Coordinates of all heavy atoms in Angstrom, one line a residue:
Chain B
I1578 N -13.3 11.8 -55.6 CA -13.8 13.1 -56.0 C -14.8 13.5 -54.9 O -14.8 14.7 -54.5 CB -14.2 13.1 -57.5 CG1 -13.2 12.9 -58.5 CG2 -15.0 14.4 -57.7 CD1 -13.6 12.8 -59.9
A1579 N -15.8 12.5 -54.7 CA -16.8 12.9 -53.7 C -16.2 13.3 -52.4 O -16.6 14.2 -51.7 CB -17.8 11.6 -53.6
L1580 N -15.2 12.6 -52.0 CA -14.4 12.9 -50.7 C -13.7 14.4 -50.9 O -13.8 15.1 -49.9 CB -13.4 11.9 -50.3 CG -14.1 10.5 -50.0 CD1 -13.1 9.4 -49.8 CD2 -14.9 10.6 -48.7
N1581 N -13.2 14.5 -52.0 CA -12.5 15.8 -52.2 C -13.5 17.1 -52.3 O -13.2 18.1 -51.9 CB -11.9 15.8 -53.6 CG -10.4 15.3 -53.5 OD1 -9.9 15.2 -52.3 ND2 -9.9 14.6 -54.5
K1582 N -14.8 16.7 -52.7 CA -15.8 17.8 -52.8 C -16.5 18.0 -51.5 O -17.5 18.6 -51.4 CB -16.8 17.3 -53.8 CG -16.3 17.2 -55.2 CD -16.5 18.5 -56.0 CE -16.1 18.4 -57.3 NZ -15.9 19.7 -58.0
G1583 N -16.0 17.4 -50.3 CA -16.5 17.6 -49.1 C -17.2 16.6 -48.4 O -17.8 16.8 -47.3
A1584 N -17.3 15.5 -49.0 CA -18.2 14.4 -48.3 C -17.4 13.8 -47.3 O -16.2 13.8 -47.4 CB -18.5 13.3 -49.5
T1585 N -18.1 13.5 -46.1 CA -17.4 13.0 -45.0 C -17.3 11.4 -45.3 O -18.3 10.8 -45.8 CB -18.2 13.1 -43.7 OG1 -19.5 13.1 -43.9 CG2 -17.7 14.4 -43.1
A1586 N -16.2 10.9 -45.0 CA -16.0 9.4 -45.4 C -17.0 8.5 -44.6 O -17.5 7.5 -45.2 CB -14.6 9.0 -45.0
S1587 N -17.5 8.9 -43.3 CA -18.4 8.1 -42.7 C -19.8 8.1 -43.2 O -20.5 7.3 -43.0 CB -18.5 8.6 -41.3 OG -19.0 10.1 -41.2
V1588 N -20.0 9.0 -44.3 CA -21.3 8.9 -45.0 C -21.1 8.4 -46.3 O -21.9 7.5 -46.9 CB -22.0 10.5 -45.1 CG1 -23.2 10.4 -45.9 CG2 -22.2 11.0 -43.8
A1589 N -20.0 9.0 -47.1 CA -19.9 8.6 -48.5 C -19.5 7.1 -48.7 O -20.1 6.4 -49.6 CB -18.8 9.5 -49.1
V1590 N -18.6 6.7 -47.8 CA -18.1 5.3 -48.0 C -19.3 4.2 -47.8 O -19.5 3.4 -48.6 CB -16.9 5.0 -47.2 CG1 -16.5 3.6 -47.3 CG2 -15.8 5.9 -47.6
P1591 N -20.1 4.4 -46.7 CA -21.2 3.5 -46.5 C -22.2 3.6 -47.7 O -22.8 2.6 -48.1 CB -21.8 3.8 -45.3 CG -20.7 4.5 -44.4 CD -19.9 5.2 -45.5
F1592 N -22.5 4.8 -48.1 CA -23.2 5.0 -49.2 C -22.9 4.1 -50.5 O -23.7 3.5 -51.1 CB -23.4 6.5 -49.7 CG -24.3 6.9 -50.8 CD1 -25.7 6.9 -50.7 CD2 -23.8 6.8 -52.1 CE1 -26.5 7.2 -51.7 CE2 -24.6 7.2 -53.2 CZ -26.0 7.3 -53.0
T1593 N -21.5 4.3 -50.8 CA -21.1 3.6 -52.0 C -21.1 2.1 -51.8 O -20.9 1.3 -52.8 CB -19.7 4.0 -52.4 OG1 -18.8 3.9 -51.3 CG2 -19.7 5.4 -52.9
A1594 N -21.3 1.5 -50.6 CA -21.4 0.0 -50.3 C -22.7 -0.4 -51.0 O -22.8 -1.6 -51.1 CB -21.5 -0.2 -48.8
L1595 N -23.5 0.4 -51.4 CA -24.8 0.0 -52.0 C -24.6 -0.3 -53.6 O -25.5 -0.6 -54.3 CB -25.8 1.1 -51.9 CG -26.3 1.4 -50.6 CD1 -27.2 2.6 -50.6 CD2 -27.2 0.2 -50.2
Y1596 N -23.3 -0.2 -54.1 CA -23.0 -0.4 -55.5 C -23.7 -1.8 -56.1 O -24.0 -1.9 -57.2 CB -21.5 -0.3 -55.8 CG -20.7 -1.5 -55.3 CD1 -20.5 -2.6 -56.0 CD2 -20.1 -1.4 -54.0 CE1 -19.7 -3.7 -55.5 CE2 -19.3 -2.5 -53.5 CZ -19.2 -3.6 -54.2 OH -18.4 -4.6 -53.8
P1597 N -23.8 -2.9 -55.2 CA -24.2 -4.1 -56.0 C -25.7 -3.9 -56.3 O -26.2 -4.7 -57.1 CB -24.1 -5.1 -54.8 CG -23.1 -4.6 -53.8 CD -23.3 -3.2 -53.9
L1598 N -26.4 -3.0 -55.9 CA -27.8 -2.7 -56.3 C -27.9 -2.6 -57.8 O -28.8 -3.3 -58.5 CB -28.3 -1.5 -55.7 CG -29.0 -1.6 -54.3 CD1 -29.5 -0.1 -53.7 CD2 -30.1 -2.6 -54.3
L1599 N -27.0 -1.8 -58.4 CA -27.0 -1.6 -59.9 C -26.7 -3.0 -60.6 O -27.3 -3.3 -61.6 CB -26.1 -0.6 -60.3 CG -26.0 -0.3 -61.8 CD1 -27.4 0.2 -62.4 CD2 -25.0 0.7 -62.1
T1600 N -25.7 -3.7 -60.0 CA -25.3 -5.0 -60.6 C -26.6 -6.0 -60.6 O -26.9 -6.5 -61.6 CB -24.2 -5.7 -59.8 OG1 -23.1 -4.8 -59.7 CG2 -23.7 -7.0 -60.4
I1601 N -27.3 -6.0 -59.5 CA -28.5 -6.8 -59.4 C -29.6 -6.3 -60.4 O -30.1 -7.2 -61.2 CB -29.1 -6.7 -57.9 CG1 -28.1 -7.3 -56.9 CG2 -30.5 -7.5 -57.8 CD1 -28.5 -6.9 -55.5
V1602 N -29.8 -5.1 -60.5 CA -30.9 -4.5 -61.5 C -30.5 -4.9 -62.9 O -31.2 -5.4 -63.8 CB -31.0 -3.0 -61.4 CG1 -31.7 -2.4 -62.5 CG2 -31.5 -2.7 -60.0
L1603 N -29.1 -4.8 -63.3 CA -28.7 -5.0 -64.6 C -28.8 -6.6 -64.8 O -29.2 -7.0 -66.0 CB -27.3 -4.7 -64.9 CG -27.0 -3.1 -64.9 CD1 -25.6 -2.8 -64.7 CD2 -27.7 -2.5 -66.0
A1604 N -28.4 -7.4 -63.8 CA -28.5 -8.9 -64.0 C -29.8 -9.4 -64.2 O -30.1 -10.3 -64.9 CB -27.7 -9.5 -62.8
I1605 N -30.8 -8.8 -63.5 CA -32.2 -9.2 -63.6 C -32.7 -8.8 -65.0 O -33.4 -9.4 -65.7 CB -33.0 -8.7 -62.5 CG1 -32.6 -9.5 -61.2 CG2 -34.5 -8.9 -62.7 CD1 -33.1 -8.9 -59.9
T1606 N -32.4 -7.5 -65.3 CA -33.0 -6.9 -66.6 C -32.3 -7.5 -67.8 O -32.9 -8.0 -68.7 CB -32.7 -5.4 -66.6 OG1 -33.1 -4.9 -65.4 CG2 -33.4 -4.8 -67.8
F1607 N -31.0 -7.8 -67.8 CA -30.4 -8.2 -69.1 C -30.0 -9.6 -69.1 O -29.8 -10.2 -70.2 CB -29.1 -7.3 -69.4 CG -29.5 -5.9 -69.7 CD1 -29.3 -4.9 -68.7 CD2 -30.1 -5.5 -70.8 CE1 -29.6 -3.6 -68.9 CE2 -30.3 -4.0 -71.0 CZ -30.2 -3.2 -70.1
L1608 N -29.7 -10.1 -67.9 CA -29.3 -11.6 -68.0 C -30.6 -12.5 -67.6 O -30.3 -13.8 -67.5 CB -28.1 -11.9 -67.0 CG -26.9 -10.9 -67.4 CD1 -25.7 -11.1 -66.4 CD2 -26.4 -11.1 -68.8
G1609 N -31.6 -12.0 -67.2 CA -32.8 -12.7 -66.7 C -32.6 -13.5 -65.5 O -33.3 -14.5 -65.3
E1610 N -31.7 -13.0 -64.6 CA -31.5 -13.8 -63.4 C -32.9 -13.8 -62.6 O -33.4 -12.6 -62.4 CB -30.3 -13.2 -62.6 CG -29.1 -13.5 -63.3 CD -27.8 -13.2 -62.4 OE1 -27.9 -12.6 -61.4 OE2 -26.7 -13.5 -63.0
R1611 N -33.2 -14.6 -61.8 CA -34.3 -14.6 -60.9 C -33.8 -15.0 -59.5 O -33.0 -15.9 -59.4 CB -35.4 -15.6 -61.4 CG -36.1 -15.1 -62.7 CD -37.0 -14.0 -62.4 NE -37.4 -13.4 -63.7 CZ -36.9 -12.5 -64.4 NH1 -35.8 -11.9 -63.9 NH2 -37.4 -12.0 -65.5
L1612 N -34.5 -14.4 -58.5 CA -34.1 -14.9 -57.0 C -35.2 -15.5 -56.3 O -36.3 -15.1 -56.5 CB -33.6 -13.6 -56.4 CG -32.4 -12.9 -56.9 CD1 -32.3 -11.4 -56.4 CD2 -31.2 -13.6 -56.8
T1613 N -34.9 -16.4 -55.4 CA -35.9 -16.9 -54.5 C -36.1 -15.8 -53.3 O -35.2 -14.9 -53.3 CB -35.4 -18.2 -53.8 OG1 -34.2 -17.9 -53.0 CG2 -35.0 -19.3 -54.9
R1614 N -37.2 -16.0 -52.6 CA -37.4 -15.1 -51.4 C -36.3 -15.1 -50.4 O -35.9 -14.0 -50.0 CB -38.8 -15.5 -50.7 CG -39.9 -14.9 -51.5 CD -41.2 -15.1 -50.7 NE -42.3 -14.7 -51.7 CZ -43.5 -14.9 -51.3 NH1 -43.9 -15.4 -50.0 NH2 -44.5 -14.5 -52.1
T1615 N -35.8 -16.2 -50.2 CA -34.6 -16.4 -49.2 C -33.4 -15.6 -49.8 O -32.8 -14.9 -48.9 CB -34.3 -17.9 -49.0 OG1 -35.5 -18.6 -48.7 CG2 -33.3 -18.0 -47.8
Q1616 N -33.1 -15.8 -50.9 CA -32.0 -15.1 -51.5 C -32.2 -13.6 -51.6 O -31.3 -12.9 -51.1 CB -31.6 -15.6 -53.1 CG -31.2 -17.0 -53.1 CD -31.0 -17.6 -54.6 OE1 -32.0 -17.2 -55.3 NE2 -30.2 -18.4 -54.8
A1617 N -33.4 -13.2 -51.9 CA -33.6 -11.7 -51.8 C -33.5 -11.2 -50.4 O -32.9 -10.1 -50.3 CB -35.1 -11.6 -52.3
L1618 N -34.0 -11.8 -49.4 CA -33.8 -11.4 -48.1 C -32.3 -11.4 -47.7 O -31.9 -10.5 -47.0 CB -34.5 -12.5 -47.1 CG -34.5 -12.1 -45.6 CD1 -35.1 -10.8 -45.3 CD2 -35.2 -13.2 -44.8
G1619 N -31.6 -12.5 -48.1 CA -30.2 -12.4 -47.9 C -29.3 -11.4 -48.5 O -28.6 -10.7 -47.8
I1620 N -29.8 -11.0 -49.7 CA -29.2 -10.0 -50.4 C -29.5 -8.5 -49.7 O -28.6 -7.7 -49.5 CB -29.7 -9.8 -51.9 CG1 -29.2 -11.0 -52.8 CG2 -29.4 -8.4 -52.5 CD1 -29.8 -11.0 -54.1
S1621 N -30.7 -8.3 -49.3 CA -31.1 -7.1 -48.5 C -30.3 -7.0 -47.3 O -29.8 -5.9 -46.9 CB -32.6 -7.1 -48.1 OG -33.3 -7.6 -49.2
L1622 N -30.1 -8.1 -46.6 CA -29.4 -7.9 -45.2 C -27.9 -7.9 -45.5 O -27.2 -7.1 -44.9 CB -29.7 -9.4 -44.5 CG -31.0 -9.6 -43.8 CD1 -30.9 -10.9 -43.0 CD2 -31.4 -8.4 -42.9
A1623 N -27.4 -8.4 -46.7 CA -26.0 -8.3 -47.0 C -25.7 -6.8 -47.3 O -24.7 -6.3 -46.8 CB -25.7 -9.2 -48.1
L1624 N -26.6 -6.2 -48.2 CA -26.3 -4.8 -48.5 C -26.5 -3.9 -47.2 O -25.7 -3.0 -47.0 CB -27.5 -4.4 -49.4 CG -27.2 -4.9 -50.9 CD1 -28.3 -4.6 -51.8 CD2 -25.9 -4.6 -51.6
T1625 N -27.5 -4.2 -46.4 CA -27.5 -3.4 -45.2 C -26.3 -3.6 -44.3 O -25.7 -2.6 -43.8 CB -28.7 -3.9 -44.4 OG1 -29.9 -3.9 -45.1 CG2 -29.0 -3.0 -43.1
A1626 N -25.8 -4.8 -44.2 CA -24.6 -5.1 -43.3 C -23.4 -4.4 -44.0 O -22.6 -3.9 -43.2 CB -24.3 -6.7 -43.4
A1627 N -23.2 -4.4 -45.3 CA -22.1 -3.7 -46.0 C -22.1 -2.2 -45.6 O -21.1 -1.6 -45.3 CB -22.2 -3.9 -47.5
V1628 N -23.4 -1.7 -45.6 CA -23.3 -0.3 -45.4 C -23.0 0.0 -43.9 O -22.2 0.9 -43.6 CB -24.8 0.2 -45.6 CG1 -25.0 1.7 -45.1 CG2 -25.2 0.3 -47.0
L1629 N -23.5 -0.8 -43.0 CA -23.3 -0.6 -41.5 C -21.8 -0.8 -41.2 O -21.1 -0.1 -40.4 CB -24.1 -1.6 -40.7 CG -25.7 -1.3 -40.8 CD1 -26.4 -2.4 -39.9 CD2 -26.0 0.1 -40.5
L1630 N -21.2 -1.9 -41.8 CA -19.8 -2.2 -41.6 C -18.8 -1.1 -42.1 O -17.7 -0.9 -41.5 CB -19.4 -3.6 -42.4 CG -20.0 -4.8 -41.7 CD1 -19.9 -6.0 -42.6 CD2 -19.2 -5.1 -40.4
S1631 N -19.3 -0.4 -43.1 CA -18.5 0.6 -43.7 C -18.5 2.0 -42.9 O -17.7 2.9 -43.2 CB -18.9 0.9 -45.1 OG -18.8 -0.2 -45.9
Y1632 N -19.4 2.0 -41.9 CA -19.5 3.2 -41.1 C -18.4 3.4 -40.2 O -18.2 2.6 -39.2 CB -20.9 3.3 -40.4 CG -20.9 4.5 -39.5 CD1 -21.3 5.7 -39.9 CD2 -20.8 4.4 -38.2 CE1 -21.4 6.8 -39.2 CE2 -21.0 5.4 -37.4 CZ -21.3 6.6 -37.8 OH -21.3 7.7 -37.0
E1633 N -17.7 4.5 -40.2 CA -16.6 4.9 -39.4 C -16.7 6.2 -38.8 O -17.0 7.2 -39.6 CB -15.2 4.7 -40.0 CG -14.8 3.3 -40.1 CD -13.4 3.2 -40.6 OE1 -12.5 3.9 -40.0 OE2 -13.1 2.2 -41.2
K1634 N -16.5 6.4 -37.5 CA -16.6 7.9 -37.0 C -15.3 8.6 -37.5 O -15.5 9.8 -37.8 CB -16.8 7.8 -35.6 CG -18.2 7.5 -35.2 CD -18.4 7.4 -33.7 CE -19.8 6.9 -33.5 NZ -20.0 6.5 -32.1

Side-chain angles (χ1 to χ4, degrees):
Chain B
I1578 295 177
L1580 294 171
N1581 277 337
K1582 295 269 179 190
T1585 41
S1587 61
V1588 177
V1590 176
F1592 177 83
T1593 55
L1595 291 170
Y1596 70 88
L1598 273 177
L1599 180 62
T1600 305
I1601 295 167
V1602 170
L1603 292 173
I1605 289 173
T1606 309
F1607 295 106
L1608 304 177
E1610 290 189 2
R1611 294 286 173 267
L1612 299 166
T1613 65
R1614 280 188 187 176
T1615 311
Q1616 288 171 333
L1618 180 62
I1620 288 170
S1621 311
L1622 289 182
L1624 290 174
T1625 311
V1628 170
L1629 298 182
L1630 285 165
S1631 308
Y1632 174 75
E1633 286 191 36
K1634 284 177 181 159

